[in-house]
Amino acid sequence: MNEHEGHQHSYIASGHKEDYLKRLRRIEGQARGLQKMVDEEKYCIDILTQVSAMTKALQSVALGLLDEHMSHCVADAARQGGPEADAKLKEASDAIARLVKS
């Protein structure tokens, strides 16, 4: 069992799970469409346009999850203070750094 199992995640608690799943299924469809475009040797710029749209959709999901995490998990830990707060802030900071680099 990892350190996050058993924790109620905010996107589930706030009822956003279905929204995230719907968006991810749409992104999955975009990925299949990209594969088909490459297989059919479509015009490179058209493929790149679709890659850009898919990237934007993934970034939107990531930012939504980050916002949920900051609003619930990090805020709750900060209210409690101590090492848990420090760990959650570091975890959030690391996640932001990964998003900025991508």
Side-chain angles (χ1 to χ4, degrees), residues 2-3 13 18 26 45 53-54 65 67 70 75 79 94 100:
N2 73 37
E3 65 183 284
E18 285 306 315
R26 190 175 311 126
I45 296 302
M54 188 174 159
L65 289 169
D67 182 61
M70 297 291 289
R79 278 191 286 278
D94 291 347
V100 170

Side-chain angles (χ1 to χ4, degrees), residues 19-31 34 48-66 99 102:
D19 179 52
Y20 286 118
L21 290 173
K22 180 180 173 184
R23 291 162 72 184
L24 289 167
R25 283 190 288 271
R26 190 175 311 126
I27 292 165
E28 184 179 25
Q30 286 176 300
L34 280 168
L48 291 170
T49 299
Q50 292 306 309
V51 167
S52 177
M54 188 174 159
T55 300
K56 184 176 178 181
L58 278 169
Q59 288 172 337
S60 177
V61 169
L63 289 173
L65 289 169
L66 179 61
L99 284 172
S102 65

Side-chain angles (χ1 to χ4, degrees), residues 34-53:
L34 280 168
Q35 291 172 348
K36 183 177 178 184
M37 289 176 79
V38 169
D39 186 52
E40 295 175 355
E41 298 184 18
K42 297 292 184 185
Y43 186 55
C44 293
I45 296 302
D46 293 340
I47 295 170
L48 291 170
T49 299
Q50 292 306 309
V51 167
S52 177

Side-chain angles (χ1 to χ4, degrees), residues 66-81:
L66 179 61
D67 182 61
E68 298 268 354
H69 183 68
M70 297 291 289
S71 299
H72 301 280
C73 301
V74 175
D76 290 346
R79 278 191 286 278
Q80 293 174 11

